[in-house]
Amino acid sequence: MSLSLYDVSIPTFLHSLRSLKAILEKAVAHAEARKFDANVFASMRLYPDMLPLARQIQIASDAAKGAAARLSGTEPPKFEDTETTMAELIARVNKTIDYLEGFKPQQFDGDDNRIITVKTPRTSLNFKAVDFVRHWALPNFFFHVTTTYALLRHGGVEIGKLDYLGPIPQT
Amino acid sequence: MSLSLYDVSIPTFLHSLRSLKAILEKAVAHAEARKFDANVFASMRLYPDMLPLARQIQIASDAAKGAAARLSGTEPPKFEDTETTMAELIARVNKTIDYLEGFKPQQFDGDDNRIITVKTPRTSLNFKAVDFVRHWALPNFFFHVTTTYALLRHGGVEIGKLDYLGPIPQT
């Protein structure tokens, strides 16, 4: 058997975004139980010059949707990055899940070594598609999901690694 | 073209472990420049009931070597988890890199849906091999690498996302 670029990207994003959504919902419940405003979490940072939780989620969303668009040769939808509340951030995760669910595996077919270009503010990067997935898209995505988890743990939310990993299909 | 389980696991681990090593070396240089003991980092935690940096690195190492062993049907070497200094932790990363470099892609061939069993202290999990890679091994690995990064950022080490991503091959 063999795997496609779809197999090793979209199911991973979807699985992890669903875990992220559940984690954000736990953070909201945590705040409600303690009668403080859950939206305080949205602007929390792990360190003064690190990005706040809202940006972590926006970038995780962008990493997933940008990868899906680039690998399928389509244009990603523009999300405006205006979320400031937990409800809006959960909606952002949902919107990303809906977008990813719209892809079919065959849209990702093609040469695994085809060139994927990523434009950053300073430069333009050209990766082989397989390197783009394993060395850019996935590490970036997990970086921001894990940092969100770390921020919420640091903020006292009672979550554990199993919340991060989510319910993995068993045989 | 198509990807193998090797393609989407071992190169990812190797690339990221090399970045992790460089990050740890930057942390040591940071401490030396400020004349404090770099080994203080090894016992730092992001939150009182989170694991210290040394354990983050040991578990990242275990996630990578455990995945390589399980996917190739071999026994992983036992690393004793006795590291307490930064030099020992860097050596642990190096040892993990050396171990992973010893695998050949064909050792990972076989049905992508074959069963991979993971025994945890409380239970035994049975995954399809592809789910083991994308929903267990990679998320676990990145979780502990990113938490190491976050810990060092929180400890004032001047590193950025590009240190985490490492130098990705360009075409």
Side-chain angles (χ1 to χ4, degrees):
Chain A
M1 280 191 63
S2 64
L3 302 167
S4 69
L5 288 170
Y6 178 93
D7 294 331
V8 297
S9 60
I10 303 304
T12 300
F13 294 141
L14 280 171
H15 184 88
S16 189
L17 286 168
R18 291 185 186 115
S19 305
L20 178 61
K21 181 186 164 182
I23 284 171
L24 294 175
E25 288 168 347
K26 281 201 177 181
V28 171
H30 174 93
E32 280 171 0
R34 284 151 192 84
K35 303 192 191 312
F36 71 85
D37 180 5
N39 299 325
V40 169
F41 287 128
S43 57
M44 272 183 59
R45 299 167 192 265
L46 266 182
Y47 199 66
D49 66 349
M50 285 180 80
L51 295 171
L53 183 124
R55 284 298 293 146
Q56 302 293 342
I57 291 167
Q58 289 159 354
I59 300 175
S61 159
D62 286 347
K65 79 176 164 68
R70 289 189 180 102
L71 292 168
S72 61
T74 56
E75 274 298 310
K78 208 171 175 198
F79 294 165
E80 293 295 343
D81 296 337
T82 51
E83 297 87 358
T84 57
T85 68
M86 294 296 272
E88 286 167 349
L89 290 165
I90 291 169
R92 169 73 174 251
V93 175
N94 277 332
K95 204 159 59 164
T96 312
I97 291 172
D98 287 346
Y99 171 68
L100 296 179
E101 282 178 339
F103 285 93
K104 292 187 173 39
Q106 54 268 32
Q107 289 180 261
F108 290 63
D109 287 351
D111 186 346
D112 294 337
N113 290 323
R114 67 185 181 268
I115 305 302
I116 300 288
T117 300
V118 175
K119 288 190 203 313
T120 73
R122 267 172 286 184
T123 183
S124 182
L125 302 166
N126 295 301
F127 305 115
K128 290 196 289 184
V130 61
D131 285 340
F132 167 73
V133 169
R134 65 189 172 189
H135 298 321
W136 181 270
L138 290 177
N140 243 321
F141 175 77
F142 282 123
F143 181 91
H144 294 286
V145 172
T146 302
T147 304
T148 300
Y149 173 95
L151 255 165
L152 292 175
R153 279 291 264 110
H154 199 71
V157 180
E158 287 160 8
I159 45 178
K161 176 94 86 66
L162 292 182
D163 292 295
Y164 164 83
L165 289 172
I168 307 169
Q170 296 290 296
T171 60
Chain B
M1 281 190 64
S2 63
L3 303 166
S4 70
L5 287 169
Y6 178 93
D7 294 331
V8 296
S9 59
I10 304 305
T12 300
F13 294 141
L14 281 170
H15 183 88
S16 188
L17 287 167
R18 291 185 187 113
S19 305
L20 177 62
K21 180 187 167 185
I23 284 172
L24 294 175
E25 288 168 346
K26 281 202 176 181
V28 171
H30 173 93
E32 280 171 1
R34 283 152 192 83
K35 303 192 191 310
F36 71 85
D37 180 3
N39 299 325
V40 169
F41 287 128
S43 58
M44 270 182 61
R45 300 168 192 263
L46 266 183
Y47 198 67
D49 66 349
M50 285 179 82
L51 295 170
L53 183 124
R55 285 297 293 146
Q56 302 293 342
I57 291 167
Q58 289 160 353
I59 300 175
S61 159
D62 286 347
K65 79 177 163 65
R70 289 190 181 103
L71 291 168
S72 61
T74 58
E75 274 298 310
K78 207 172 175 193
F79 294 164
E80 294 295 343
D81 296 337
T82 51
E83 297 88 357
T84 57
T85 67
M86 293 297 272
E88 288 167 347
L89 289 166
I90 290 169
R92 169 73 174 253
V93 174
N94 277 332
K95 205 161 57 166
T96 311
I97 290 171
D98 288 346
Y99 171 67
L100 296 180
E101 282 177 338
F103 285 93
K104 290 185 174 41
Q106 55 268 32
Q107 289 179 263
F108 290 64
D109 287 351
D111 187 346
D112 294 337
N113 289 323
R114 67 186 182 268
I115 305 302
I116 300 287
T117 300
V118 175
K119 288 190 203 311
T120 72
R122 267 172 285 184
T123 183
S124 182
L125 301 167
N126 295 301
F127 305 115
K128 290 196 291 183
V130 61
D131 285 341
F132 168 72
V133 170
R134 66 188 170 188
H135 298 320
W136 182 270
L138 291 177
N140 243 322
F141 174 78
F142 282 121
F143 181 91
H144 293 286
V145 173
T146 302
T147 304
T148 300
Y149 172 95
L151 256 165
L152 292 174
R153 279 290 264 108
H154 199 72
V157 180
E158 285 160 9
I159 46 179
K161 176 94 87 65
L162 291 182
D163 292 295
Y164 164 83
L165 289 172
I168 307 169
Q170 295 289 295
T171 59

